[in-house]
Amino acid sequence: MSDASYRDAIFSTPLDRVASFSFDERVVACFPDMIRRSVPGYGQILAMLGPLARRHLRHGGHVYDLGCSLGAAGLALAGQLPVDAFRYTGIDLSPTMVERARQTLKEECPGHDMTVIEGDIRHQAYDASGMILLNFTLQFLDPTDRDAVVARLFEALEPGGVLILSEKIVADDEQDNAWLVERYHDFKRANGYSELEISQKRTALENVLVPDTLTAHHARLARAGFSRSLTWFQYLNFASLIAFKEA
Ligand SMILES: Nc1ncnc2c1ncn2[C@@H]1O[C@H](C[S@+](CC[C@H]([NH3+])C(=O)[O-])CC(=O)[O-])[C@@H](O)[C@H]1O
Ligand SMILES: O=C(O)C(=O)Cc1ccccc1
């Protein structure tokens, strides 16, 4: 089957030169396994999307999922809400991700209104939306592009709309941060990753995944116009925020 998912072994053998991480065919082929074993709380965050939509999205409202990868958030919403509860648009830059997301959502979400667009979330013309998901995507944008994207999303949101922002984070305090990173590596070991895999992936992500502090995230959301934001979930150095646009 073309949408088979493999175990992540990308960094399991010694590499002469560790290339920068990218969302290429090899990563896409093992992505569900990679993200499940590498992102603490990933499943719990997806499990809350239905309840969050039920509370904050009007019936039939529009949801954007930016950097949708294989459409896991769309799949989670479709599993938790009736067909007419929401319309979904996923956007991703990686053509392989988009192709597989389209196929999965078509097969797994009959009756639901689900669209996947190949595009760069920095240059998208956004329609009005009631709920925007940025699940582990902002962290991959050049830090100098982040303010402008979040400000545009604020403009696209309808009054009363919410932005869900999930990210790898860095702690304000250096000692706290070192402790969190060590425990994150313990989390990866517990999920079957070797020392070599942990260290080579860390190298591959340097200057590719650049995390912000929670303080920086909340400040950016406030600058963009959000009247209120809060951290509703944290598991080690991974967190999810919700930002509210005034009704
Ligand atoms: N400028 C960009 N424009 C569009 N997409 C982009 C851009 N830059 C990166 N991406 C895309 O953002 C996604 C980040 S993964 C998101 C997980 C998903 N949300 C999930 O709930 O499973 C997170 C991770 O792998 O840690 C990849 O699919 C990139 O192609
Ligand atoms: O593996 C890591 O170190 C992470 O920060 C999470 C992750 C998950 C999937 C792709 C890239 C980064």
Side-chain angles (χ1 to χ4, degrees):
M1 216 164 98
S2 63
D3 66 349
S5 186
Y6 300 97
R7 186 168 171 88
D8 169 22
I10 301 223
F11 298 102
S12 60
T13 51
L15 303 164
D16 291 337
R17 195 189 141 269
V18 179
S20 285
F21 187 86
S22 77
F23 293 95
D24 58 17
E25 276 91 349
R26 289 181 65 220
V27 166
V28 173
C30 67
F31 189 73
D33 178 72
M34 173 186 283
I35 199 152
R36 191 181 53 78
R37 289 200 288 138
S38 311
V39 175
Y42 178 71
Q44 278 110 317
I45 292 168
L46 293 188
M48 271 307 290
L49 295 179
L52 289 171
R54 247 179 252 124
R55 176 66 189 85
H56 291 290
L57 186 74
R58 70 177 166 78
H59 191 78
H62 182 255
V63 178
Y64 269 122
D65 181 12
L66 308 181
C68 64
S69 297
L70 299 175
L75 209 53
L77 283 169
Q80 295 165 359
L81 302 173
V83 288
D84 51 356
F86 71 100
R87 294 168 293 124
Y88 170 94
T89 304
I91 304 179
D92 204 283
L93 197 52
S94 159
T96 325
M97 287 286 193
V98 168
E99 190 188 319
R100 285 202 35 191
R102 276 189 190 132
Q103 187 188 334
T104 305
L105 296 178
K106 190 173 155 202
E107 286 170 8
E108 305 291 328
C109 314
H112 285 272
D113 182 342
M114 318 283 282
T115 305
V116 185
I117 297 172
E118 184 185 322
D120 189 324
I121 64 162
R122 291 168 300 181
H123 309 129
Q124 196 66 32
Y126 291 101
D127 293 328
S129 194
M131 184 170 176
I132 301 182
L133 312 177
L134 266 176
N135 268 333
F136 307 104
T137 302
L138 196 68
Q139 60 191 20
F140 288 104
L141 300 191
D142 188 311
T144 62
D145 291 334
R146 295 178 189 179
D147 274 22
V149 170
V150 172
R152 291 189 62 204
L153 300 182
F154 177 81
E155 294 309 323
L157 272 177
E158 291 158 351
V162 291
L163 172 68
I164 312 290
L165 173 62
S166 310
E167 291 269 294
K168 188 179 198 172
I169 52 158
V170 53
D172 285 299
D173 179 89
E174 207 178 307
Q175 207 180 348
D176 292 355
N177 194 60
W179 188 89
L180 287 169
V181 170
E182 275 311 311
R183 298 300 73 73
Y184 175 51
H185 292 162
D186 290 343
F187 171 94
K188 284 194 153 184
R189 285 178 197 110
N191 284 332
Y193 285 116
S194 68
E195 300 309 313
L196 181 69
E197 286 177 293
I198 293 170
S199 106
Q200 291 193 141
K201 186 160 186 203
R202 192 183 198 181
T203 303
L205 287 173
E206 263 165 34
N207 305 316
V208 173
L209 190 174
V210 182
D212 283 321
T213 62
L214 284 174
T215 313
H217 281 301
H218 287 290
R220 179 181 294 118
L221 292 165
R223 279 198 300 279
F226 288 97
S227 53
R228 204 158 65 86
S229 67
L230 68 100
T231 306
W232 66 272
F233 183 88
Q234 186 174 345
Y235 186 166
L236 300 176
N237 52 337
F238 288 76
S240 189
L241 293 74
I242 182 164
F244 303 90
K245 180 161 177 169
E246 234 158 56

